[in-house]
Amino acid sequence: RRPPRSTHCISSAASDVYKRQGEDCKCLDQIVTVQTLSGTGALKIASELLYKTVPKETKIYISDPTWPNHPDILTGSGFVNQELYPYYDAASNSLNFKGMMESLSKAPPGSIILFHGCAHNPTGIDPSKEQWKELIDLCKAKSFVPFIDLAYQGFASGDLDNDAFVPRAFAQSGLEFLVAESFSKNVGLYGERIGALHVVCAKKESVPKVLSNLKSSIRAMYSNPPCHGALIMTKILTNPKYTSEWKEELSKVAGRIQEMRKLLYEELVALKTPGSWEHIIKQIGMFSYTGLSKEQCKALVEKHHVYLLESGRASMPGINRSNYEYLAKAIREVVTNIPKQ
């Protein structure tokens, strides 16, 4: 019977997440890695571990907005003390970093803070590296437990190393933290449910205890993860030729999304669409928080058959050279005729 732990590929991924090739990472022997049912499974197993090990009154802070499944996963594991921290500034379509820091500064010591590692879902807005360093300093000062959802590594910038900045920075901080990692999007294995949970412990002696706890949760929940996607990842990560091809193709995918953002932005400007649209090219990853109102989004769906969420979140990969002009015209029409309340 195959144990509910990582195959070689996931162990390799742990090293790749926490250090660049040739760099030294002192915490590698303090990392527990288990294969999971993609990123969602990693979030669930991590939530189970945290609920078992932290005081029951511990609060967990999530960004406002966040991926809608986050609160449900946490609630299902027993976390009823959930708090939102400011993240998105609707007026400027940008990061509300000041509000974020002020809110987290007031959080009780030992709180769990759920961060998006890169390409924030749904806004497409990430803190800068300098801002991340401030957040890490705050986490250390308040003894927070960082919980990082790394669902889109490679989709933010097209570079796996660049998009691993956040977990690597936390690894250098000496903090204990968790990373839920997904290979669904960046390898195109969505249907295979392949991901990993990495738990970075404060000391090496904690590793076997944490691993035993994780195995117990996995065994009770789904016994073993599927092997097909893991075997594909093994081939990719253990063969330099395949690894190079994967990185090159991922860069092209991310580059195409960035190109579509630029085309849409330029067309909106050319059409003299009311308002500022620079946030579309400043945001990164698969999604954009367009800044459109609920009523404007509804009109896009019903009149123009442009489908997006009522929150204004749009999927950038759905844009191509055949439809960006139509999309821009549709946005201009609803923005012009349906003013925001």
Side-chain angles (χ1 to χ4, degrees):
R1 181 166 56 85
R2 191 161 46 87
R5 202 184 175 194
S6 61
T7 60
H8 174 75
C9 75
I10 304 300
S11 297
S12 297
S15 298
D16 289 341
V17 166
Y18 297 104
K19 68 181 182 70
R20 288 178 181 268
Q21 186 175 5
E23 286 185 351
D24 181 39
C25 179
K26 297 179 181 178
C27 73
L28 283 181
D29 61 354
Q30 298 164 217
I31 301 174
V32 181
T33 298
V34 290
Q35 184 184 332
T36 60
L37 303 181
S38 197
T40 303
L43 289 164
K44 179 62 176 177
I45 296 301
S47 299
E48 294 285 319
L49 173 68
L50 288 168
Y51 191 73
K52 290 178 183 178
T53 54
V54 301
K56 294 299 177 281
E57 66 274 12
T58 300
K59 288 186 177 182
I60 184 161
Y61 287 76
I62 56 180
S63 66
D64 181 19
T66 192
W67 182 44
N69 210 17
H70 280 151
D72 293 338
I73 292 170
L74 296 168
T75 300
S77 295
F79 283 104
V80 294
N81 291 325
Q82 298 179 34
E83 297 281 347
L84 296 175
Y85 60 83
Y87 193 86
Y88 177 68
D89 181 2
S92 62
N93 293 306
S94 62
L95 178 67
N96 182 6
F97 185 69
K98 181 180 178 181
M100 183 181 182
M101 288 293 290
E102 288 177 353
S103 176
L104 292 180
S105 296
K106 298 174 184 176
S111 296
I112 301 165
I113 315 297
L114 180 57
F115 293 116
H116 296 232
C118 66
H120 183 274
N121 180 7
T123 69
I125 303 168
D126 288 348
S128 66
K129 291 183 178 180
E130 290 71 25
Q131 289 170 334
W132 273 117
K133 291 173 183 177
E134 289 186 49
L135 286 166
I136 291 172
D137 288 341
L138 179 61
C139 288
K140 291 177 70 174
K142 301 277 290 190
S143 299
F144 289 153
V145 179
F147 184 5
I148 302 169
D149 185 356
L150 190 64
Y152 299 100
Q153 185 184 4
F155 271 89
S157 67
D159 185 283
L160 290 168
D161 283 322
N162 189 65
D163 291 354
F165 170 80
V166 173
R168 288 173 180 170
F170 273 100
Q172 296 297 327
S173 73
L175 284 164
E176 286 189 300
F177 65 101
L178 305 89
V179 178
E181 183 178 18
S182 171
F183 294 111
S184 291
K185 277 75 69 174
N186 59 13
V187 196
L189 293 175
Y190 205 94
E192 302 300 333
R193 310 316 294 156
I194 174 70
L197 170 63
H198 311 294
V199 182
V200 180
C201 304
K203 52 187 179 180
K204 187 177 180 181
E205 291 73 22
S206 299
V207 168
K209 297 177 183 178
V210 172
L211 177 58
S212 177
N213 201 314
L214 293 174
K215 282 183 176 181
S216 176
S217 293
I218 291 171
R219 181 64 176 156
M221 196 178 302
Y222 54 84
S223 185
N224 286 287
C227 65
H228 188 211
L231 293 173
I232 293 174
M233 283 306 301
T234 299
K235 281 188 174 292
I236 292 172
L237 290 175
T238 58
N239 184 310
K241 179 176 179 291
Y242 294 157
T243 303
S244 178
E245 287 180 1
W246 171 44
K247 290 181 177 180
E248 181 180 350
E249 290 172 1
L250 182 58
S251 178
K252 289 179 180 178
V253 170
R256 192 198 76 83
I257 296 173
Q258 292 166 359
E259 181 186 6
M260 293 305 107
R261 286 181 179 275
K262 184 182 180 197
L263 286 175
L264 176 60
Y265 166 72
E266 291 176 346
E267 189 66 15
L268 287 168
V269 172
L271 292 172
K272 295 182 170 54
T273 308
S276 173
W277 299 96
E278 288 187 359
H279 57 280
I280 289 178
I281 52 176
K282 288 181 179 179
Q283 295 167 0
I284 55 178
M286 292 181 64
F287 305 110
S288 172
Y289 236 39
T290 58
L292 297 171
S293 69
K294 181 178 179 179
E295 291 73 23
Q296 290 168 344
C297 292
K298 186 177 180 181
L300 279 175
V301 173
E302 294 179 353
K303 184 176 180 180
H304 299 280
H305 305 287
V306 171
Y307 298 95
L308 71 168
L309 299 184
E310 289 184 347
S311 64
R313 191 196 82 164
S315 179
M316 292 291 102
I319 304 173
N320 57 51
R321 289 185 173 275
S322 298
N323 64 19
Y324 78 91
E325 292 175 317
Y326 177 87
L327 175 58
K329 289 177 182 177
I331 292 175
R332 184 186 186 281
E333 194 276 332
V334 300
V335 169
T336 301
N337 296 313
I338 309 176
K340 285 186 179 181
Q341 299 299 322

